[in-house]
Amino acid sequence: MRRVSRIAVAGAATASLALALSACGGTSTEGGSSSDSDKGLAIAYDVGGKGDQSFNDAAYAGLEQAKKEFGYETADIEPTEGETDADKQQRLESLAKQGYNPVVGVGYAYAAAVKGAAEKYPDTTFGIVDDSTVQAKNVADLVFSEEEASYLAGVAAAKSTKSNVVGFVGGVDIPLIHKFQAGFEQGVKDTNPKAKVLSQYLTQTAEEGGFSSPDKGKTAAEGQIEKKADVVYAAAGLSGQGVIEAAAANKVWAIGVDSDQYKQEALAKYKDFILTSAMKDVAKAVYNLAKSVEDGKPQTGIVRGDLKSGEVSLSNSNPKFADDADVQKAVETAKEKIISGEIKVKSS
């Protein structure tokens, strides 16, 4: 059904925005009308952009589902190198001004931009993925218990290692990625106290390329593999592709993140070495926000996905993982204990 409330179009898109959208191929549309009533979900990508086979691509999958189901016009916009918070806010405001609703910033880096844009466009619903600091009546904070899926990844790593050495590669040294590390290390140690976890961060800031540099990921993984790591888990966005490449080249296991990386076309030649992926359903979160607006009951506040809700999980696409009864039993037991509260997973 058509949504209950929409903002009026404040004016035509500026020439500069139209040029930007055209240049990056960022806008996808469906249907012939561009009136306000036919505009729906818009997303602005995080570092790495579309094609990261991970976080951003999951958000795009949610947009595509909404576009197909609701038959409205959507937009997806790439980031630009060296952009400021003001640039991000202008991007979100331009989308809101054109009539898109909801407008989602994909990634914690959009916090300041979402806060500012939401104040200027109170009748538009905004979403931000992986941040819970923006408190406003028209903002949904789409967050996940990544540490829970990472704990299960740790269980899988601990049951799969033969060297008793496993690795963790984080993209950027920030609290969000600390959750992945903490859960993974706890899962490993709880399952195999003899196992050693080698942990490394690629950069201190996202601007240094921690989430967008496969070469950095590859080098880090190679260093851990030289130290006998035979399972390496990456929480590093696009950089994780380098980790997976290094694992495949050395015939050891990689564990993917965010999306089911075993199924990603760009990683197909490495998939036999992708044990599993610690997933968070960004696609579902983005789609659910769009549906809530479409239904006239927009989500706001903190919206959390966890193991209990099924929005974080471990993938079973690799038959070698899915058919390993011992590993599957250990993972399922851990999952049940986390959901029941018997296991408290650390987030830092």
Side-chain angles (χ1 to χ4, degrees):
M1 71 190 242
R2 280 296 113 192
R3 62 197 63 200
V4 170
S5 64
R6 295 244 188 207
I7 61 170
V9 178
T14 63
S16 60
L17 178 65
L19 178 62
L21 298 185
S22 175
C24 71
T27 303
S28 57
T29 63
E30 180 170 326
S33 173
S34 60
S35 68
D36 175 54
S37 63
D38 287 329
K39 286 188 176 179
L41 173 63
I43 61 176
Y45 292 117
D46 197 4
V47 173
K50 185 164 39 172
D52 66 351
Q53 313 300 319
S54 182
F55 182 71
N56 288 300
D57 282 1
Y60 179 71
L63 178 140
E64 286 289 276
Q65 183 182 355
K67 175 180 173 180
K68 181 179 180 181
E69 183 166 329
F70 306 132
Y72 55 31
E73 184 176 337
T74 60
D76 59 303
I77 313 299
E78 295 285 350
T80 58
E81 187 174 351
E83 66 185 20
T84 65
D85 287 343
D87 295 328
K88 291 183 174 70
Q89 182 172 332
Q90 184 178 34
R91 179 180 305 131
L92 300 181
E93 289 178 1
S94 295
L95 291 166
K97 183 178 181 180
Q98 292 176 84
Y100 290 102
N101 189 17
V103 175
V104 179
V106 183
Y108 69 92
Y110 276 94
V114 166
K115 185 176 186 296
E119 289 174 354
K120 290 190 69 173
Y121 289 88
D123 294 326
T124 299
T125 295
F126 290 84
I128 181 166
V129 180
D130 280 352
D131 182 88
S132 60
T133 65
V134 185
Q135 304 297 318
K137 291 181 179 180
N138 59 325
V139 175
D141 298 305
L142 308 176
V143 295
F144 301 86
S145 297
E146 295 96 347
E147 68 277 9
E148 295 181 351
S150 294
Y151 184 101
L152 299 185
V155 173
K159 297 294 288 186
S160 301
T161 181
K162 292 180 171 59
S163 66
N164 277 343
V165 181
V166 302
F168 171 81
V169 177
V172 180
D173 190 357
I174 55 172
L176 172 64
I177 308 302
H178 297 169
K179 293 169 68 180
F180 291 87
Q181 179 188 359
F184 180 69
E185 290 181 348
Q186 185 182 349
V188 170
K189 292 295 185 180
D190 284 357
T191 307
N192 181 2
K194 295 180 180 179
K196 180 180 181 181
V197 182
L198 306 175
S199 294
Q200 179 179 348
Y201 285 91
L202 300 180
T203 63
Q204 293 299 305
T205 67
E207 289 74 20
E208 296 171 278
F211 290 134
S212 56
S213 305
D215 58 324
K216 294 182 189 295
K218 182 178 180 181
T219 299
E222 288 172 341
Q224 293 182 343
I225 293 166
E226 286 177 5
K227 295 176 182 177
K228 308 301 182 185
D230 59 356
V231 185
V232 185
Y233 173 41
L238 185 64
S239 300
Q241 293 190 30
V243 174
I244 292 170
E245 181 184 351
N250 288 276
K251 294 181 168 54
V252 303
W253 286 121
I255 295 178
V257 76
D258 291 344
S259 297
D260 185 352
Q261 297 197 300
Y262 182 88
K263 292 183 175 181
Q264 298 295 325
E265 187 175 339
L267 301 173
K269 60 184 175 181
Y270 310 125
K271 71 177 186 178
D272 288 343
F273 298 95
I274 301 175
L275 180 66
T276 181
S277 295
M279 302 187 297
K280 59 183 182 183
D281 204 340
V282 174
K284 183 178 179 180
V286 168
Y287 166 79
N288 283 346
L289 179 60
K291 187 177 189 304
S292 75
V293 174
E294 188 71 10
D295 291 345
K297 299 177 180 178
Q299 291 178 334
T300 59
I302 294 176
V303 182
R304 182 175 298 278
D306 56 16
L307 277 181
K308 187 174 183 179
S309 72
E311 289 173 70
V312 302
S313 61
L314 214 56
S315 67
N316 273 331
S317 297
N318 189 332
K320 291 180 181 178
F321 178 70
D323 296 340
D324 190 321
D326 184 44
V327 175
Q328 289 295 319
K329 182 179 178 181
V331 168
E332 187 59 33
T333 298
K335 178 181 176 181
E336 291 172 358
K337 289 182 177 181
I338 292 170
I339 291 174
S340 71
E342 183 176 345
I343 292 177
K344 305 290 186 183
V345 184
K346 299 174 183 177
S347 58
S348 63

